[in-house]
Amino acid sequence: MRRRSMVSLLAGGAILLAFLPGGAGAVPEEEVHHIAMELRCPVCQNLSVGDSPSEMAKEMRGLIRERLERGETREEVLAYFVSKYGEWILLSPRASGFNLLVWILPLAAVLAGAVGIFVVVRRWNSRAKARAGAEAHRFPDPASLERVRRELEATEGGPPA
């Protein structure tokens, strides 16, 4: 009787451990992959840890899984890798401090380019209008043309044929 209750107690404990959060296999592979996609592979450098086939990346994915199984959050796992490798390990720099320039400078460059294009186009239009106005003054007005035509008629004795 005692043996039977001990076995059933152990079986119940094993079942309970299998379904407790933080138990083995409790971390979905998508979550591990999502975090691994945010980290740069130290060996491949152009690939994320999630995409890299290197042994180092496999070990890092295992470490991510292990830390998540221990109950650490995504931020804690990322903070661990940042403390170990520095900000360099993050594929997307955090939008704070000096890293903020990485996020702001491209937008500022696009805005400055748009303003520059607007100013240049506006100058071209104003110069074209000024040239058109100058050319309009170069030709005599219709009253002057009519007066010249009358003078020619008077000196030649009649309108040109």
Side-chain angles (χ1 to χ4, degrees):
M1 179 74 176
R2 202 167 201 198
R3 198 176 238 184
R4 197 176 205 185
S5 64
M6 187 69 130
V7 169
S8 62
L9 186 65
L10 287 175
I15 291 171
L16 199 72
L17 282 176
F19 289 107
L20 278 177
V27 176
E29 189 60 33
E30 294 86 32
E31 189 174 352
V32 173
H33 186 71
H34 182 72
I35 293 173
M37 293 300 287
E38 295 181 42
L39 298 172
R40 181 187 322 270
C41 177
V43 176
C44 302
Q45 294 196 8
N46 288 335
L47 294 175
S48 69
V49 169
D51 292 333
S52 174
S54 72
E55 282 298 316
M56 181 76 165
K58 287 178 186 173
E59 289 176 16
M60 289 174 77
R61 286 191 296 265
L63 191 57
I64 292 169
R65 183 176 298 104
E66 183 180 306
R67 289 189 163 266
L68 289 174
E69 287 172 353
R70 276 195 257 159
E72 290 185 14
T73 63
R74 176 188 157 276
E75 287 77 22
E76 289 171 336
V77 172
L78 290 175
Y80 166 75
F81 282 103
V82 168
S83 70
K84 192 170 182 179
Y85 295 98
E87 289 273 334
W88 169 87
I89 198 74
L90 298 174
L91 282 174
S92 298
R94 293 182 177 154
S96 64
F98 186 71
N99 291 341
L100 206 54
L101 290 176
V102 173
W103 297 101
I104 292 175
L105 281 180
L107 295 175
V110 168
L111 186 63
V115 168
I117 289 172
F118 175 77
V119 168
V120 167
V121 167
R122 191 171 179 173
R123 281 186 186 167
W124 285 344
N125 282 340
S126 65
R127 286 182 186 169
K129 286 180 183 176
R131 265 191 232 131
E135 289 180 13
H137 290 290
R138 201 180 309 162
F139 295 109
D141 60 315
S144 299
L145 284 175
E146 181 60 29
R147 189 182 60 204
V148 169
R149 190 180 63 74
R150 274 187 269 136
E151 287 178 9
L152 281 174
E153 286 176 5
T155 55
E156 294 175 358

